[in-house]
Amino acid sequence: MSAHGSAKVSVWRQPAQVWAVAFACVVAFMGIGLVDPILPAIAESLEATPVQTELLFTSYLLVTGLAMLVTSWISSRIGAKATLLIGLGLIVVFALACSLSGSVDAIIGFRAGWGLGNALFISTALATIVGAASGGSGAAIVLYEAALGLGIAIGPLLGGLLGEISWRGPFFGVVALMAIAFVAVLALLRGSGEKPVPVPLSAPFKALRIPSLAVLAVAALFYNIGFFVLLAFSPFPLGFGAMGIGFTFFGWGVALAITSVWVAPFLLRFLPRTTVMLLTLPLLAVDLVIAGILVENPTALVVCIIVGGLLLGIMNTVLTESVMEATDLPRSVASSSYSAVRFLGGAAAPPLAAWLWHAYGATVPYLFAAASILIATATIAIGRRALARIDLREADAVEEAAAVLVGDAA
């Protein structure tokens, strides 16, 4: 674990405000896979095509990415608590609207509003809990690792359980949990007392002119295509019910959490960041090719999904940690500009995968994903000279926590 041993003693003895934000983080992480198990059920109940259903991810990720360009500007002016509450409030409102919708088009629109709330919350939560946790940064990291693991693993499982009742169930679940988180943050989180330092609105746009950040952003765009083909498209060829999909992606989430929290930091003790990425990305491409070849075999596809989770966990942490070391910019500015670009890949991938499935068969989306991963690999290899800085600097403990949070929260 990336936390220092001294932090382990006091990690569970935290102020109530820390637990309030940590609980909200668990619920936010759950949202990553909560919708996965109910995609086929939504398509059937609302008479929607798979392409339409996959737009639930597109609208959410597109708005999240675009909003990331302005979240640092907003939070630097109104403060962390207000930004967190606005983000949580928007998620509650739009998740409730999703649960009450009567058409897939309405859900697509409301998921966009959900993405705005998620961007505001995620972009602010890290700094809040690190600043408020007792026991130093190490204690905060352990809390984030616990929130990450719980959220990513439980999300698909809860989605499957509630999805067995109705496709609306997971949305109602998010409403209830996020409403509790909103009240907890409102009642328990105190202001830092520090006057916010305004960040220029142009900062994230100017950041992308820096070659190292541009290389990582382009690589992440194509990497995210592979990520979201595996996550958002796989429920359809699996052919399972909501519970079966939930258990599959529970395994995916556990695998992703294990490697992002433990394996990635371990590898980085011995290998440069670019080397870890250039080793992991081709393995992910191979996994996707095998998934495409064996797509008609549900057991084999489940294994490929879980193996993919292992590799994705490593990449998420290493990529985002690299972004933090690529420039001297504030972490919030660097991560927001990078995330805005990479989310474009995540937004485009699900409907493209569904269209390729219907046009050419279930194998082709995975081959398309593998090709995107290879483009990401080539981008890192070609731009390695521009990335020399990320191999020369070690991330401190707080940066490792930020890598885990930002890399896996979107």
Side-chain angles (χ1 to χ4, degrees), residues 50-52 54-55 57-58 346-356:
V51 173
Q52 287 177 306
E54 295 286 37
L55 289 173
F57 281 95
T58 297
L352 269 174
W355 178 79
L356 289 170

Short mmCIF file of all heavy atoms in Angstrom, two decimals, residues 50-52 54-55 57-58 346-356:
data_model
loop_
_atom_site.label_atom_id
_atom_site.label_comp_id
_atom_site.label_asym_id
_atom_site.label_seq_id
_atom_site.Cartn_x
_atom_site.Cartn_y
_atom_site.Cartn_z
N PRO A 50 -29.06 -0.76 -28.97
CA PRO A 50 -27.82 -0.70 -28.18
C PRO A 50 -27.04 0.59 -28.38
O PRO A 50 -26.42 1.10 -27.44
CB PRO A 50 -27.03 -1.91 -28.69
CG PRO A 50 -28.09 -2.89 -29.10
CD PRO A 50 -29.18 -2.03 -29.70
N VAL A 51 -27.05 1.14 -29.61
CA VAL A 51 -26.35 2.40 -29.85
C VAL A 51 -26.94 3.51 -29.00
O VAL A 51 -26.22 4.29 -28.36
CB VAL A 51 -26.40 2.78 -31.34
CG1 VAL A 51 -25.80 4.18 -31.56
CG2 VAL A 51 -25.65 1.76 -32.19
N GLN A 52 -28.28 3.59 -28.96
CA GLN A 52 -28.93 4.59 -28.13
C GLN A 52 -28.59 4.38 -26.66
O GLN A 52 -28.30 5.34 -25.93
CB GLN A 52 -30.45 4.52 -28.31
CG GLN A 52 -30.96 5.06 -29.63
CD GLN A 52 -32.47 4.88 -29.74
OE1 GLN A 52 -32.99 3.79 -29.59
NE2 GLN A 52 -33.16 5.97 -30.00
N GLU A 54 -25.98 2.98 -25.34
CA GLU A 54 -24.59 3.31 -25.04
C GLU A 54 -24.37 4.82 -24.93
O GLU A 54 -23.37 5.27 -24.35
CB GLU A 54 -23.68 2.73 -26.13
CG GLU A 54 -23.64 1.21 -26.19
CD GLU A 54 -22.85 0.59 -25.05
OE1 GLU A 54 -22.92 1.11 -23.92
OE2 GLU A 54 -22.17 -0.41 -25.28
N LEU A 55 -25.30 5.60 -25.47
CA LEU A 55 -25.18 7.05 -25.34
C LEU A 55 -25.34 7.51 -23.89
O LEU A 55 -25.02 8.66 -23.56
CB LEU A 55 -26.20 7.76 -26.24
CG LEU A 55 -25.91 7.68 -27.74
CD1 LEU A 55 -27.07 8.28 -28.54
CD2 LEU A 55 -24.62 8.40 -28.09
N PHE A 57 -23.47 6.49 -21.58
CA PHE A 57 -22.08 6.75 -21.22
C PHE A 57 -21.55 7.98 -21.94
O PHE A 57 -20.81 8.79 -21.37
CB PHE A 57 -21.21 5.54 -21.57
CG PHE A 57 -21.28 4.42 -20.59
CD1 PHE A 57 -22.15 3.36 -20.80
CD2 PHE A 57 -20.51 4.42 -19.45
CE1 PHE A 57 -22.22 2.31 -19.89
CE2 PHE A 57 -20.57 3.38 -18.53
CZ PHE A 57 -21.44 2.32 -18.75
N THR A 58 -21.93 8.14 -23.20
CA THR A 58 -21.40 9.24 -24.01
C THR A 58 -21.77 10.59 -23.44
O THR A 58 -20.91 11.47 -23.26
CB THR A 58 -21.91 9.12 -25.46
OG1 THR A 58 -21.42 7.92 -26.03
CG2 THR A 58 -21.44 10.31 -26.30
N GLY A 346 -13.54 8.24 -24.19
CA GLY A 346 -14.55 7.48 -23.46
C GLY A 346 -15.96 7.77 -23.94
O GLY A 346 -16.82 6.88 -23.98
N ALA A 347 -16.21 9.02 -24.34
CA ALA A 347 -17.54 9.39 -24.81
C ALA A 347 -17.85 8.77 -26.17
O ALA A 347 -18.99 8.37 -26.45
CB ALA A 347 -17.65 10.91 -24.89
N ALA A 348 -16.85 8.68 -27.04
CA ALA A 348 -17.08 8.18 -28.40
C ALA A 348 -17.16 6.65 -28.46
O ALA A 348 -17.86 6.09 -29.31
CB ALA A 348 -15.96 8.66 -29.32
N ALA A 349 -16.45 5.97 -27.57
CA ALA A 349 -16.28 4.52 -27.70
C ALA A 349 -17.57 3.70 -27.60
O ALA A 349 -17.79 2.81 -28.44
CB ALA A 349 -15.27 4.03 -26.66
N PRO A 350 -18.44 3.90 -26.59
CA PRO A 350 -19.59 2.99 -26.44
C PRO A 350 -20.53 2.95 -27.65
O PRO A 350 -20.84 1.86 -28.15
CB PRO A 350 -20.29 3.52 -25.18
CG PRO A 350 -19.19 4.17 -24.40
CD PRO A 350 -18.32 4.81 -25.43
N PRO A 351 -21.00 4.10 -28.18
CA PRO A 351 -21.88 4.00 -29.35
C PRO A 351 -21.16 3.48 -30.59
O PRO A 351 -21.77 2.77 -31.41
CB PRO A 351 -22.38 5.44 -29.56
CG PRO A 351 -21.39 6.30 -28.86
CD PRO A 351 -20.87 5.50 -27.72
N LEU A 352 -19.87 3.82 -30.75
CA LEU A 352 -19.11 3.29 -31.89
C LEU A 352 -19.01 1.77 -31.81
O LEU A 352 -19.17 1.07 -32.81
CB LEU A 352 -17.70 3.89 -31.89
CG LEU A 352 -17.49 5.17 -32.69
CD1 LEU A 352 -16.07 5.69 -32.47
CD2 LEU A 352 -17.75 4.96 -34.17
N ALA A 353 -18.77 1.25 -30.59
CA ALA A 353 -18.69 -0.20 -30.41
C ALA A 353 -20.01 -0.87 -30.74
O ALA A 353 -20.04 -1.92 -31.41
CB ALA A 353 -18.27 -0.52 -28.97
N ALA A 354 -21.11 -0.28 -30.30
CA ALA A 354 -22.42 -0.86 -30.59
C ALA A 354 -22.72 -0.84 -32.09
O ALA A 354 -23.28 -1.81 -32.64
CB ALA A 354 -23.51 -0.10 -29.82
N TRP A 355 -22.33 0.24 -32.77
CA TRP A 355 -22.55 0.32 -34.22
C TRP A 355 -21.72 -0.72 -34.95
O TRP A 355 -22.21 -1.40 -35.87
CB TRP A 355 -22.20 1.73 -34.70
CG TRP A 355 -22.35 1.88 -36.18
CD1 TRP A 355 -23.51 2.06 -36.88
CD2 TRP A 355 -21.29 1.80 -37.16
NE1 TRP A 355 -23.23 2.11 -38.24
CE2 TRP A 355 -21.89 1.96 -38.43
CE3 TRP A 355 -19.91 1.62 -37.07
CZ2 TRP A 355 -21.14 1.95 -39.60
CZ3 TRP A 355 -19.16 1.61 -38.24
CH2 TRP A 355 -19.77 1.78 -39.48
N LEU A 356 -20.45 -0.87 -34.56
CA LEU A 356 -19.58 -1.88 -35.18
C LEU A 356 -20.12 -3.28 -34.94
O LEU A 356 -20.01 -4.16 -35.82
CB LEU A 356 -18.16 -1.76 -34.61
CG LEU A 356 -17.36 -0.52 -35.04
CD1 LEU A 356 -16.08 -0.40 -34.22
CD2 LEU A 356 -17.03 -0.58 -36.53
#
